[in-house]
Amino acid sequence: MVAIVLIATTSSAGEVRRLRLCADPSNLPFSSRDAREPGFEVEIARAIAAALDAELTVHWVPTAREIIVLRQLYEGRCDLVMGFPITPGFVDDKPRLSLSAPYYVMRQVVVSSSVGGARSPEDLRARIVGVQAMTLSDQLVHERGFNRKVYVTPDATFEALVKGEVDAVVMESPLAGWFVTRNAGFVATAIGDPARDLKIGAAVRKADGDLKESVDRAIQQLAAATLPGILGRYGVTLAQASPPAAPLSAELRAARSTFLTQCSQCHGTDAMGTAAASNLQAFKGSEADFVRTVQNGRPGTGMTPWKGLISEDDIRAIARYIKQLATDPARP
């Protein structure tokens, strides 16, 4: 039970003084209770409140079920909920709801390896494409007849990409950009289908007309610099046109799969190293040196011998894959 309900109040001049946001406590990149990384929608709500000289407070509520979130809004536990599509079909059956001006556009995005990956929908025709079930991306991939594998969650879909179960993923831009910012070695490319673009706004009660006007003004004021800065930090605007990627040979495709499943946990998906293991892109020895190091390990380090676990031919192929990864112009 909420002991004290803070609602949006206005002065006689219509200026918002206090604003309460409903947001999910664990739904990055959209929102999070973690003050260090609160999510782009919480940051945008704070910017709106600041532009209106208002105090922002957050009522944390899981947002998986739309009806529960909207009930919080209708019953006055919050006054603003971010992240709703500005479409007639969404608001037609919600007579108590108004949507603000859009603060970003959600698009469909291809995510793939920075080496030999897909850079356009045409590149997906001969590949296995991962999608989250029952999403706009799932619908797009199905309608275009691509060979798709369906997963329940975004995390499971991207995990399949990292493991090499799929060649690429089609996902909504906020989730795609968030993944790419945290997983080096992958790039995001917008599909470029304007008919599927969704303008996203914030929901307020229809009775709060002054609040809606104030939020719209704030979004307009923030559009030039503040909103792009916030969206960019979370990767939402990361997807862009990329140069065509040179296709990988069958040998290097197999090497990439082996590297991602056997080596990337320690060396990173981009082979540039982690706190636990060295940067393989910086390896200065010959291919024979690389094979010897992998087979025998490095005594006194976390690098254990892999002789008998990965064949010499596969180790040589991994070395060639890493060399191409280091020189590919599409590498992030």
Side-chain angles (χ1 to χ4, degrees), residues 2-281:
V2 180
I4 300 176
V5 177
L6 297 177
I7 64 172
T9 60
T10 60
S11 70
S12 58
E15 295 177 354
V16 175
R17 297 301 185 191
R18 191 180 304 159
L19 187 63
R20 188 168 178 105
L21 171 74
C22 271
D24 195 310
S26 182
N27 190 30
L28 285 171
F30 305 97
S31 60
S32 167
R33 194 190 290 268
D34 186 348
R36 297 167 299 178
E37 205 163 46
F40 73 87
E41 292 192 327
V42 174
E43 290 200 29
I44 289 173
R46 285 179 179 166
I48 290 171
L52 301 175
D53 194 24
E55 175 192 359
L56 181 76
T57 57
V58 183
H59 173 54
W60 298 109
V61 58
T63 58
R65 295 185 61 189
E66 177 187 289
I67 189 171
I68 292 178
V69 180
L70 292 179
R71 186 182 301 154
Q72 307 298 307
L73 180 67
Y74 297 150
E75 294 179 354
R77 293 182 176 88
C78 57
D79 309 287
L80 188 71
V81 186
M82 311 296 285
F84 287 105
I86 305 174
T87 63
F90 180 75
V91 297
D92 280 350
D93 62 346
K94 301 175 180 67
R96 293 185 289 170
L97 194 72
S98 273
L99 296 180
S100 74
Y103 54 89
Y104 83 102
V105 177
M106 181 183 290
R107 296 183 167 91
Q108 313 307 305
V109 173
V110 178
V111 179
S112 64
S113 171
S114 61
V115 174
R119 297 292 184 273
S120 70
E122 290 69 31
D123 292 341
L124 299 176
R125 297 195 180 281
R127 309 192 190 215
I128 301 174
V129 184
V131 293
Q132 183 187 1
M134 305 299 290
T135 62
L136 291 174
S137 295
D138 183 13
Q139 182 184 40
L140 181 151
V141 171
H142 173 69
E143 288 178 356
R144 298 197 180 191
F146 299 147
N147 183 9
R148 84 192 201 282
K149 290 189 72 173
V150 181
Y151 298 86
V152 175
T153 66
D155 287 346
T157 311
F158 286 123
E159 183 179 357
L161 178 63
V162 171
K163 289 182 176 179
E165 295 176 9
V166 298
D167 300 307
V169 161
V170 174
M171 188 68 69
E172 285 65 36
S173 51
L175 297 168
W178 179 247
F179 171 81
V180 169
T181 60
R182 278 148 182 77
N183 293 271
F186 295 94
V187 293
T189 307
I191 286 179
D193 187 346
R196 296 180 187 270
D197 290 353
L198 279 180
K199 294 179 179 180
I200 304 298
V204 301
R205 290 178 293 273
K206 180 162 281 188
D208 293 338
D210 287 346
L211 174 60
K212 180 190 181 311
E213 291 180 7
S214 297
V215 171
D216 286 349
R217 286 198 306 271
I219 289 173
Q220 185 176 12
Q221 293 169 12
L222 299 168
T226 303
L227 294 184
I230 294 172
L231 294 169
R233 285 200 299 276
Y234 288 87
V236 180
T237 55
L238 188 63
Q240 55 187 346
S242 299
L248 289 178
S249 66
E251 177 194 53
L252 292 187
R253 280 172 61 83
R256 178 178 66 187
S257 178
T258 304
F259 175 82
L260 290 173
T261 55
Q262 303 295 333
C263 314
S264 66
Q265 294 89 339
C266 292
H267 292 282
T269 54
D270 59 352
M272 294 186 70
T274 66
S278 61
N279 179 353
L280 296 182
Q281 290 196 28

